[in-house]
Amino acid sequence: MITMTYSAPAKINLSLDILRKRKDGFHDMRMVMQTITLHDTLILHPHCGGGRITLSCGGAQVPCGEENLAWKAAQLFFEETDTPCDGLEMELRKRIPVSAGMAGGSADAAVVLKALRGLYRPSLPREELERIALKVGSDVPFCVRGGTVLAEGRGEQMTSLARMPRCPVVLCKPGFGISTPELFGRVTVSRLKTHPDTRGLVKAIALGDLRMAAGKLGNVFEEVLPQEYGEVFEIRDRLLGAGALNAGMTGSGPTVFALFDDETRAKGAYEALAKDYSETYLEKIL
Ligand code: C5P
């Protein structure tokens, strides 16, 4: 049996802005997305006969059937590229928290698409893979591309930026999950009081200026977060108090991330938060 192993890295939103609600129910976004070192691992057994796709998730709290984005990605890949499936066993080892704003499911889907392209259709253009990715979910095209990206539209209109400096990142997820569609439902674009300075952020990244970039973090979802999720802001304040350059929520939350310019301070912040939150991580910009 052939065994292939791949890494599926999570993302954070250095900025997240919502520009308008569209007629198709989705929202037009403007986001700077960033790959980080926190990752799931995908183990594939391709060409294993029988023509079926199977997925196991080793006891993680995620659905392992056809509703799992990794499974959906594999099925769409075979369909959309007219490739006969000659049996595919997939195993996911989850480390990225679920419903956390870190695109865990999208990262898994993206790595499946990239792996299957490598195995079955190496000449498939990147644009075509990103088109299939958008059918799986709004964050999947970014996860296919990775790096530091300005993402617009639903997230599929991507401009790759210069890499962010490889600084330490502390992430901390409170013990609840937030539903993305529910949070989108709370947004009335005309009533948003502030929008992140994405242009300024893009400029700071181009300059390679970590401190300036950290000063430009922003996420409009923080403004519409229901009161019962106030712990998000408590975590943010603790990270700032521990010497972060800046901190904010990623995606639709509830994970809070903080950027540091100093390894020791980052480790101190991680250790302080990890005492109270089991889902605390000390990682890096990838
Ligand atoms: O594309 P994805 O399946 O991740 O989207 C989940 C839900 O989030 C959508 O059904 C929609 O309610 C909301 N969404 C949105 N605008 C986006 C992305 C997601 O309204 N750009």
Side-chain angles (χ1 to χ4, degrees):
M1 186 187 273
I2 305 165
T3 301
M4 314 280 284
T5 304
Y6 305 85
S7 174
K11 63 89 177 154
I12 52 174
N13 288 89
L14 297 175
S15 74
L16 187 155
D17 200 3
I18 303 177
L19 305 184
R20 64 188 71 82
K21 185 163 185 185
R22 309 179 348 176
K23 290 207 174 72
D24 63 5
F26 286 93
H27 292 76
D28 276 329
M29 315 291 292
R30 184 180 291 141
M31 311 179 274
V32 176
M33 303 171 90
Q34 174 63 55
T35 308
I36 59 170
T37 49
L38 178 66
H39 62 277
D40 291 342
T41 301
L42 171 75
I43 297 153
L44 283 190
H45 303 299
H47 316 301
C48 60
R52 287 183 55 221
I53 302 167
T54 62
L55 173 66
S56 63
C57 301
Q61 299 295 307
V62 287
C64 259
E66 297 182 12
E67 66 276 39
N68 186 294
L69 293 188
W71 199 96
K72 204 171 153 186
Q75 191 201 28
L76 268 173
F77 178 88
F78 288 118
E79 270 176 27
E80 297 276 325
T81 61
D82 277 328
T83 305
C85 174
D86 55 358
L88 178 69
E89 285 181 18
M90 304 190 284
E91 185 193 331
L92 271 176
R93 301 210 176 135
K94 295 290 298 175
R95 195 158 170 263
I96 308 171
V98 178
S99 292
M102 286 196 264
S106 302
D108 300 340
V111 81
V112 165
L113 292 177
K114 290 204 282 189
L116 296 184
R117 173 172 66 170
L119 289 163
Y120 292 93
R121 286 271 187 261
S123 59
L124 191 76
R126 184 177 76 175
E127 297 74 33
E128 182 58 11
L129 203 68
E130 290 176 356
R131 186 191 64 79
I132 301 171
L134 184 64
K135 289 196 160 201
V136 184
S138 303
D139 283 342
V140 187
F142 166 74
C143 293
V144 165
R145 188 174 297 196
T148 310
V149 166
L150 172 66
E152 296 171 284
R154 273 175 61 198
E156 81 286 10
Q157 295 164 27
M158 293 184 284
T159 311
S160 289
L161 305 174
R163 297 240 158 193
M164 273 284 283
R166 208 170 182 271
C167 68
V169 184
V170 175
L171 302 113
C172 179
K173 182 188 167 289
F176 50 83
I178 296 181
S179 146
T180 304
E182 234 175 77
L183 208 53
F184 269 110
R186 294 178 64 88
V187 175
T188 306
V189 175
S190 60
R191 288 210 204 116
L192 289 170
K193 291 194 197 79
T194 55
H195 290 271
D197 177 11
T198 305
R199 196 186 297 254
L201 174 60
V202 168
K203 190 173 165 201
I205 292 169
L207 293 169
D209 187 331
L210 176 61
R211 194 167 277 273
M212 181 179 165
K216 302 286 183 189
L217 302 183
N219 182 342
V220 294
F221 277 135
E222 288 180 5
E223 203 179 304
V224 298
L225 207 60
Q227 259 186 349
E228 70 250 39
Y229 299 141
E231 213 173 340
V232 163
F233 302 113
E234 288 168 24
I235 293 172
R236 181 193 61 189
D237 291 347
R238 282 180 68 177
L239 288 162
L240 291 171
L245 290 175
N246 203 356
M249 194 170 80
T250 173
S252 56
T255 306
V256 180
F257 71 95
L259 304 181
F260 287 82
D261 61 356
D262 181 280
E263 299 268 357
T264 312
R265 259 202 289 273
K267 193 158 177 285
Y270 162 76
E271 283 167 358
L273 270 295
K275 285 193 187 117
D276 297 322
Y277 296 98
S278 59
E279 292 176 293
T280 305
Y281 306 87
L282 176 56
E283 299 288 337
K284 274 195 159 62
I285 296 287
L286 190 60

